[in-house]
Amino acid sequence: MLFTILRSILRQARRQPLYLALNVLGLGLGMAVCLVLTLQVRYEYSFNATIPDAAHVLRLDSHLMFPGSAPQEYADVPFIAFPFLRTDFPQIVDTTRYETEDYQLHNGDRSISADAAMVDPSFFNVIALPLEHGDPRSALSRPDAIVLSADTAQALFGTTDVLGRTLTTDHEGHRSSQTVTGVLARASGPVTIAPDALTPFPSDEMQKPQFTRWGSSSGNIFLHLRSEADRTAIARNLTRFVIDHASGTANDDSSEGVHPERRFALSLVSLRETHFNDLHVVGGDDATDRSVVNILALIGALALLLAVLNAINLATARSGLRAREVAIRKTLGATRKALFVQFVGEAIASTAIGGALALALCEIALPFLLCVVLLTGLACGIYPALVLSSYQPAHVLAATRMPSGGRGATRLRNGLVIVQFAFAVAFAICTLVVNRQAHFMQSQDLGFARDGILISSDIMTSDIAKQRAILEALRHTPGVVSASLSELTPNIDNRHRFNVTPVGPHREDIHVLGDTVVGDYATTYRPRMLAGRWFDNSHGEDDSPGDDAFHKSPGKTWNVVLNRTAVSRLGFASPESAIGTPLKSGPVTLRVIGVMEDMRFVSARDDVSPQITFNSTAALDYPHASVRFSGVPENIMKTRLKSAWDPVFPDDPTSFRTVQDRMSTFYITEQRRGWLFSIASGIAIFIACLGLYGLASFTALRRTHEVGIRKALGATTHNVLTLMLGDFLRPVLLACIMAAFPALFVMRSWLSGFHQRIALSWLDFAVVVLVTLLIAALTVLGQTLRLARAEPARALRAE
Amino acid sequence: MLIELSHIQRLYRSDEVETTALHDIELQIEKGEFVAIMGPSGCGKSTLLNILGTIDRPTGGSYRFGEHELTAMNEAELAKFRREHLGYVFQSFNLIDELTIEENIELALIYRNMPKAERQSRVSHAMDHVGIAHRARHYPSQLSGGQQQRAAIARAIVGEPSLILADEPTGNLDTENGAQVMDILQRLNDEGATIIMVTHSPSHADLARRRIDMLDGQVVVSVRNAI
Ligand SMILES: Nc1ncnc2c1ncn2[C@@H]1O[C@H](COP(=O)(O)OP(=O)(O)OP(=O)(O)O)[C@@H](O)[C@H]1O
Ligand SMILES: [Mg+2]
């Protein structure tokens, strides 16, 4: 049997190399894409899977809520909560705190800097990272203990067998000698908890004020539970927990005030979830967008599905050509079952060749590949084998021409082409929309002139003299047009919010974002003024005091500029009507002197906050320096700015970045998604075209005779060409129509996640349809032209 | 004179061999004639018929049809010529499997700009003429050989061509069906159609008005039958 199959495949290779090549190429590509993506998806889903019982190891996350803005989740929590957890929730098996710190580790003259984690001695009871050396129960019990990762041990000592060796640690200027009590084994899969070193908290560490106050973010707290039910029970009681422990009087600085539950919440996330969950968590692990991973999985499955459809399509198209073989074998005594087995065997064998191709395209575990080959082969082979083995010999031999498999088979083939192209077109529409949105997000009007600005990292000093000095130094750098300091910059990393109250009928507090600027901000960012004027230091009230002094000047009036969103939130009818109006913020009065267009410093997914801008010659709070430059190439400007910066802040090097660069993180997800969709639609269209091409070549073979008849009856080449192209493209067009609605629907709901988005238009659809039809037409053009040009006398002789 | 062939030649060149299917054919056919072409297998009868039907081009010589010099026409003009003046009947019927009998017959009209209703009435008229109206909705594979050939004749005449070409129209049929087909052809001739028919049957050839004998690509005898 095996021999028959191989011989049959060899004969195919000789007689119909095109068919075999299309089949094998399609299957190989489909399997390779599927396998690569399966591995990638498995990787993304296997984060922390090697940590024992990771599903029941939970991180306590905090949520901070401010009126007027969305709550934000943080991976860090105040450690003040730590002791109460064990007492309030007896279900907890064990807990540990976990705070990462930069450590310098020295062994003689070897020293390295390490991302160390300070933890509680119970650490290994919670997160049972496997140890290569040492005992997890006692490894962290001595105060001078340190557990090293295998790589760190190797780097420091040249070996991992270092139990009992001592090393010197240097942390925040504090040197001490510590003894190695354990070495972590190298993780066999991806993990998010992979410190270079673990060490118990120093006894004095917890006395620091940030550990004794609610409202500070100290580090992670991990809990180990027994079951999902325990998790649910604890999660339900976390609000109660916050009320019980975080309440205090309004001016108790260590509490969250009278109603802590309105500002502060806790939640649990398991280690198995952090890799996806932390996308929106501040201070969380490196995260992947789960939807991107799921799209990958979908693409993998579809690539294989399309390849299988392709194979079925080609095989049924070709079955007509093999009808005579079947008839002759049957008259020679072959049973239907034997033929069926042979044809399925052939399908599996050609899939195996495709599999070998896939193997060459990506290295992969062999048993897995064999499994995929077998299943794919069966999927490809069963239907065509059924059709083939059912041919009636008398019928086939009596017929003068090869059977086409009847109208049923034609419909099936068209159906398969429709399905293939429907997927391809759906992907293509998504590709177009996602890429358009990504492009739009990068090129949208940000409300300021984004090009030609360079921005420093934040200035870590509140020394007014230094702030002045850097502003002057930058201003006098050749090529700089203007320079300013401001607290907010594109991709805001430092938010200062406060409440203001409009003086008027709506007396409700509005939570606004505050910015304070100094220098030539208006010429650097070029905000568009909608009404009023920008600051001018010659007006005394334009120069408000710094943040700290601000609230200590009751009764004073300071001039401010609002953005458009603030104007509408505060209930003004128009920007003009806001000018000159007083607002209250605590004891201070703010007078609106100007309204500017919203400056978008945040992602297109987020709303622009209502914002109030101050001008101040006092020291700013962690400001950034921004310059506008011209006439100098960007990289030269960066070097010049650096050399102006370094003498002022010799210990705090910075690198100047463009607006585009600082905001690029907003677009990475969309760009990556656009890229994925582009690849997916490329593959889908390629496989679909392989199928269409194969179909066209068989159709050309089968319909040559028909073309002869039509021409003898007076059809011109043009008539035949239109007819054949129409026949080939009709299923493609149908596929376009079928795919368009779901794709546009999905894209509409995807776009609704953006605050600023492109409008879907029928052009998206039209462009994709036209391009797809064009590609499909080009695919079949060669075959169709040859068919249409056939000389009628010769075509009539073709059987 | 309806048809005038002079010095018609047809060479087939394959990689090595060169076959001369037709040598220097001289032939005139009047309007309204019924010509039978006979000769041994391979002598070039089908080739001649194909050239007459313009689905094959001669490699030399001239072919005049009425006022037109056909060898000078381009492909599109030839296609137009075929649909306006010619009807074909093939030895192996050459019906399209995927279309019903009715649709197969309509095919001869579809490339003319003719309203659907007129096409339909002409098709049903042609089917009546050959006696297969009751099979209109069937597919070719569901018909007997004789019925298929009558359908093919219906397709050939539906366009009311001035010239009907038939290549062994009775070759695949039994005596009775063959006689029926000859009957139809004779009737068409009586109604004024010019018919050129290839046949191996002397008795069928005798039913024509003129008989042409071919040998090795040449016309050897051309005799008028006394009717
Ligand atoms: N496409 C072709 N290539 C090469 N030679 C051809 C081709 N078509 C026909 N011939 C040759 O031309 C000659 C005439 O063929 P044709 O088909 O006209 O014969 P015929 O008289 O119709 O025979 P039959 O009675 O068997 O149908 C033959 O020798 C044939 O081999
Ligand atoms: Mg012949």
Side-chain angles (χ1 to χ4, degrees), chain A residues 794 797, chain B residues 12-14 19-21 39-48 91 167-168 198 200:
Chain A
R794 202 181 293 264
R797 228 188 301 268
Chain B
Y12 286 112
R13 264 190 216 95
S14 59
T19 321
T20 310
S41 183
C43 69
K45 304 181 297 291
S46 295
T47 309
L48 177 59
Q91 176 177 10
D167 193 351
E168 299 188 45
V198 171
H200 282 290

Coordinates of all heavy atoms in Angstrom, one line a residue, chain A residues 794 797, chain B residues 12-14 19-21 39-48 91 167-168 198 200, ligand 1:
Chain A
R794 N -8.2 23.5 -32.6 CA -7.3 22.8 -31.7 C -8.1 22.5 -30.4 O -8.0 21.4 -29.8 CB -6.1 23.6 -31.4 CG -4.9 22.8 -31.0 CD -3.7 23.7 -30.7 NE -3.3 24.3 -31.9 CZ -2.2 23.8 -32.6 NH1 -1.6 22.7 -32.2 NH2 -1.8 24.4 -33.7
R797 N -10.3 19.6 -30.4 CA -9.7 18.3 -30.4 C -9.3 17.9 -28.9 O -9.1 16.7 -28.7 CB -8.5 18.3 -31.3 CG -8.4 17.1 -32.2 CD -7.1 17.1 -32.9 NE -6.9 18.3 -33.7 CZ -7.3 18.4 -35.0 NH1 -7.8 17.5 -35.6 NH2 -7.0 19.6 -35.6
Chain B
Y12 N 0.7 21.2 -41.1 CA 0.8 21.1 -39.7 C 2.3 20.9 -39.4 O 2.9 20.0 -39.9 CB 0.0 19.9 -39.1 CG -1.4 20.2 -39.0 CD1 -2.3 19.5 -39.9 CD2 -2.0 21.1 -38.2 CE1 -3.7 19.7 -39.8 CE2 -3.3 21.3 -38.1 CZ -4.2 20.6 -39.0 OH -5.5 20.8 -38.9
R13 N 2.9 21.8 -38.6 CA 4.3 21.6 -38.2 C 4.4 21.3 -36.8 O 4.0 22.0 -35.9 CB 5.0 23.0 -38.5 CG 5.7 23.0 -39.8 CD 6.7 24.2 -39.9 NE 6.6 24.6 -41.3 CZ 5.8 25.6 -41.7 NH1 5.1 26.3 -40.9 NH2 5.8 26.0 -43.0
S14 N 4.9 20.1 -36.5 CA 5.2 19.9 -35.1 C 6.8 19.9 -35.1 O 7.4 20.4 -36.0 CB 4.7 18.5 -34.7 OG 5.2 17.5 -35.5
T19 N 3.2 17.8 -41.6 CA 2.2 17.1 -42.3 C 1.4 18.1 -43.2 O 1.1 19.2 -42.7 CB 1.1 16.5 -41.3 OG1 1.9 16.1 -40.2 CG2 0.3 15.4 -41.9
T20 N 1.2 17.7 -44.4 CA 0.4 18.5 -45.3 C -1.0 17.9 -45.3 O -1.2 16.9 -45.9 CB 0.9 18.5 -46.7 OG1 2.3 18.8 -46.6 CG2 0.2 19.6 -47.5
A21 N -1.9 18.6 -44.6 CA -3.3 18.0 -44.5 C -4.1 18.4 -45.7 O -4.9 17.6 -46.2 CB -4.0 18.6 -43.2
G39 N -14.0 10.4 -48.4 CA -12.7 10.1 -48.6 C -12.2 9.3 -47.4 O -12.8 9.2 -46.4
P40 N -11.0 8.6 -47.6 CA -10.5 7.8 -46.5 C -10.1 8.6 -45.3 O -9.9 9.8 -45.4 CB -9.3 7.1 -47.1 CG -8.9 8.0 -48.3 CD -10.2 8.6 -48.7
S41 N -10.0 7.9 -44.2 CA -9.6 8.5 -42.9 C -8.3 9.2 -43.1 O -7.3 8.6 -43.6 CB -9.6 7.5 -41.8 OG -9.3 8.1 -40.6
G42 N -8.2 10.4 -42.6 CA -6.9 11.1 -42.6 C -6.6 11.9 -43.9 O -5.5 12.5 -44.0
C43 N -7.6 11.9 -44.8 CA -7.3 12.6 -46.1 C -7.5 14.1 -46.0 O -7.3 14.8 -46.9 CB -8.2 12.0 -47.2 SG -9.9 12.4 -47.0
G44 N -8.1 14.6 -44.9 CA -8.1 16.0 -44.7 C -9.6 16.6 -44.8 O -9.7 17.8 -44.8
K45 N -10.6 15.7 -44.6 CA -11.9 16.2 -44.7 C -12.3 17.2 -43.6 O -12.8 18.3 -43.8 CB -12.9 15.0 -44.6 CG -12.7 13.9 -45.7 CD -13.6 12.8 -45.5 CE -13.6 12.0 -44.2 NZ -12.3 11.2 -44.1
S46 N -11.9 16.8 -42.3 CA -12.3 17.6 -41.2 C -11.5 18.9 -41.3 O -12.0 20.0 -41.0 CB -11.9 16.9 -39.9 OG -12.7 15.8 -39.7
T47 N -10.2 18.8 -41.7 CA -9.4 20.0 -41.9 C -10.1 21.0 -42.8 O -10.2 22.2 -42.6 CB -8.0 19.7 -42.4 OG1 -7.5 18.6 -41.5 CG2 -7.1 20.8 -42.3
L48 N -10.5 20.5 -44.0 CA -11.2 21.3 -44.9 C -12.5 22.0 -44.4 O -12.7 23.2 -44.5 CB -11.6 20.5 -46.2 CG -12.3 21.3 -47.3 CD1 -11.5 22.4 -47.8 CD2 -12.7 20.3 -48.4
Q91 N -19.3 15.7 -35.3 CA -19.4 14.2 -35.2 C -19.7 13.8 -33.7 O -20.5 13.0 -33.5 CB -18.1 13.6 -35.7 CG -18.1 12.0 -35.5 CD -16.8 11.4 -36.0 OE1 -15.9 12.1 -36.4 NE2 -16.8 10.1 -36.2
D167 N -19.8 17.7 -39.7 CA -18.7 16.8 -39.8 C -19.2 15.4 -39.3 O -19.3 15.2 -38.1 CB -17.5 17.3 -39.0 CG -16.2 16.5 -39.3 OD1 -16.3 15.5 -40.0 OD2 -15.2 16.9 -38.8
E168 N -19.4 14.5 -40.2 CA -19.9 13.2 -39.9 C -21.1 13.2 -38.9 O -21.0 12.7 -37.8 CB -18.8 12.3 -39.3 CG -17.7 12.1 -40.3 CD -16.6 11.1 -39.8 OE1 -17.1 10.0 -39.3 OE2 -15.4 11.4 -40.0
V198 N -19.5 16.2 -44.2 CA -18.5 15.1 -44.4 C -19.2 13.8 -44.0 O -19.9 13.8 -43.0 CB -17.3 15.3 -43.5 CG1 -16.4 14.1 -43.5 CG2 -16.5 16.6 -43.9
H200 N -18.9 9.2 -44.2 CA -18.3 8.0 -44.6 C -19.3 7.1 -45.3 O -19.0 6.0 -45.8 CB -17.7 7.2 -43.5 CG -16.3 7.8 -43.1 ND1 -15.2 7.7 -43.9 CD2 -15.9 8.5 -42.0 CE1 -14.2 8.3 -43.3 NE2 -14.6 8.8 -42.1
Ligands
LIG1 N1 -3.3 19.3 -35.0 C1 -2.7 18.5 -35.9 N2 -1.3 18.4 -35.9 C2 -0.7 17.6 -36.8 N3 -1.4 16.9 -37.7 C3 -2.7 17.0 -37.8 C4 -3.4 17.8 -36.9 N4 -4.7 17.7 -37.2 C5 -4.8 16.9 -38.3 N5 -3.6 16.5 -38.6 C6 -3.3 15.6 -39.7 O1 -3.9 16.1 -40.9 C7 -4.4 15.0 -41.7 C8 -5.9 15.3 -41.9 O2 -6.6 15.2 -40.8 P1 -8.2 15.2 -40.7 O3 -8.6 15.3 -39.3 O4 -8.6 16.3 -41.6 O5 -8.6 13.8 -41.4 P2 -10.1 13.3 -41.8 O6 -10.1 13.2 -43.2 O7 -11.1 14.1 -41.1 O8 -10.1 11.8 -41.1 P3 -11.2 11.0 -40.4 O9 -12.1 10.5 -41.5 O10 -10.5 9.9 -39.7 O11 -11.9 12.0 -39.5 C9 -4.2 13.8 -40.9 O12 -3.0 13.1 -41.5 C10 -3.9 14.2 -39.5 O13 -2.9 13.4 -38.9

